[in-house]
Amino acid sequence: MDFKLEQKVKVVVTDNLSECVLEILATTNYKKPMLVMDSFLNSTPIIGQLKNDLNDQNIEFVLYDRIVSDPPVELVDTGAKICLDNKCDCIIAIGGGSSIDVARGINIIRHNGGSIVDYVNPIKPIKNCAGLIAVPTTSGTGSELSNALIVTDTKTSQKLAVLANESLSEIAILNPELLMSLPKNMTIATGLDTFSHAAEGYTSNLSSPVTDAICEKVMYLVVKYLPTAVADGSNREARERMMVAAALGGWMLNNCGTHVGHSTAHILGSKYKIPHGMACSYALPGALEYVAPVLPKKIKEIGYILGATFSDDCTPEEIAKITSDAYINFRDNILGMAPFSDLGISENDLYKNAQSIAEERFAGNTPRLVDVDGALGLLKKL
């Protein structure tokens, strides 16, 4: 059947990471976790406490703290070898999207063998991959609930996507304490990534009445709580609400996907080393305008969520412009995102990416055909 909504991940919200992890290990009977994170996070007090508590309970673990942004294929394959060699029976991923993506890739190989590149092909079978416990430290990618992972092919500099419902986290732990020290610029970028997930999912070919309601709520939460999280990173309520929004946004990736906004972000992010959330936020106004002729009612609804007003006789083009301007005001003036021009990319070089964007796999979810001319128009919007 063509199901419209599915959610298999068990979600826990906690104020004590160590206590929660120990309870999960006891409940699931996992004996030897592999901890996946970056080296900075490994040096923080909260992770130090977790490692001490694991040692105090005589729980042996393997630490893999080599995660970097835009993780390369080799990082996943090497981690999988270490995991298998040490006979780990579960993986605890702590970090942003890169850490959880790498851990998901390791878990796929642990259960299925080979290299993570093998699973970019959607017809490659993947059996159920139990044992992934995801602990996000940003409110952006929603990897803790999504079925996707993105890795970089260092030979071609292309971002490769693996999509597999069999690779979902078994458990997601939402701990707002992990976000309290997230820098302002990362709070902005990751929060806008969450908004992009919801806005693109809402206007995707894969959307449904059920996912629409959730995407609307995710966008509302971002508009309401992200400015507070940016202004006061220690505000627990704002951090928790953004964690929930990001997780729900990641869930929507599985059910209604993204479209040409993410295609643009994947191509430009990989080529110019733009952080993913920033790339998505730069691409979104053009993407909203691009789909407005076929989905004016939904674009107007996004505008309402952003605080825009519309006359009764607005044309689709006017709706697109008003909503796009409202988003840009939220992004640039309320939150303070740096302008795209700061990246120093020449127009001629930028426009050379049109064909790659048109051919990127998520562009097919766009409710209008994305050809080279359409992609070029989107690039000019930047």
Side-chain angles (χ1 to χ4, degrees), residues 95-382:
S98 295
S99 294
I100 299 175
D101 280 5
V102 169
R104 191 187 318 283
I106 291 172
N107 207 36
I108 288 173
I109 298 172
R110 180 170 77 93
H111 286 280
N112 295 270
S115 165
I116 195 59
V117 174
D118 300 336
Y119 302 97
V120 173
N121 186 342
I123 68 171
K124 175 75 172 177
I126 298 177
K127 61 186 178 184
N128 186 54
C129 305
L132 176 60
I133 300 165
V135 187
T137 60
T138 66
S139 297
T141 64
S143 294
E144 61 274 14
L145 260 65
S146 86
N147 65 353
L149 69 92
I150 305 293
V151 291
T152 301
D153 184 337
T154 52
K155 296 176 183 176
T156 64
S157 295
Q158 288 185 316
K159 290 196 173 185
L160 307 176
V162 177
L163 307 177
N165 287 332
E166 296 77 15
S167 69
L168 290 167
S169 307
E170 184 174 341
I171 299 170
I173 302 174
L174 306 184
N175 178 206
E177 183 183 358
L178 289 165
L179 271 70
M180 297 300 186
S181 60
L182 190 69
K184 180 178 179 179
N185 63 332
M186 288 188 66
T187 300
I188 295 170
T190 54
L192 289 174
D193 189 17
T194 295
F195 191 93
S196 292
H197 291 162
E200 291 183 43
Y202 189 58
T203 54
S204 161
N205 281 334
L206 303 176
S207 66
S208 71
V210 186
T211 62
D212 284 351
I214 298 167
C215 288
E216 288 171 357
K217 184 64 174 182
V218 170
M219 288 185 282
Y220 168 82
L221 288 171
V222 174
V223 171
K224 182 174 177 62
Y225 290 102
L226 182 55
T228 302
V230 170
D232 178 12
S234 63
N235 186 302
R236 189 192 179 282
E237 180 187 22
R239 291 297 196 184
E240 182 183 84
R241 294 288 85 194
M242 283 303 301
M243 282 199 110
V244 170
L248 293 176
W251 177 27
M252 290 302 95
L253 291 178
N254 309 348
N255 289 274
C256 50
T258 56
H259 55 62
V260 71
H262 264 61
S263 296
T264 305
H266 287 158
I267 297 301
L268 301 188
S270 178
K271 184 173 181 179
Y272 303 110
K273 307 302 180 188
I274 308 170
H276 178 68
M278 292 179 67
C280 288
S281 71
Y282 293 138
L284 185 60
L288 295 177
E289 291 187 39
Y290 193 75
V291 303
V294 293
L295 294 175
K297 184 176 180 180
K298 283 192 170 183
I299 298 302
K300 181 185 278 191
E301 193 64 42
I302 294 173
Y304 282 136
I305 292 169
L306 288 162
T309 58
F310 302 87
S311 64
D312 293 338
D313 57 351
C314 271
T315 66
E317 291 75 17
E318 290 169 335
I319 290 169
K321 183 69 165 58
I322 291 169
T323 298
S324 176
D325 286 349
Y327 175 78
I328 290 170
N329 179 62
F330 177 68
R331 182 192 70 188
D332 297 357
N333 299 326
I334 296 175
L335 298 178
M337 171 68 78
F340 183 80
S341 57
D342 282 2
L343 299 175
I345 305 169
S346 74
E347 289 186 40
N348 286 338
D349 192 49
L350 186 66
Y351 299 158
K352 293 176 183 177
N353 297 289
Q355 184 163 346
S356 295
I357 291 170
E359 294 173 351
E360 206 273 344
R361 68 184 299 177
F362 295 117
N365 294 337
T366 313
R368 284 181 63 192
L369 175 67
V370 180
D371 56 16
V372 174
D373 287 341
L376 183 61
L378 289 166
L379 289 168
K380 290 180 177 179
K381 294 286 185 183
L382 293 171

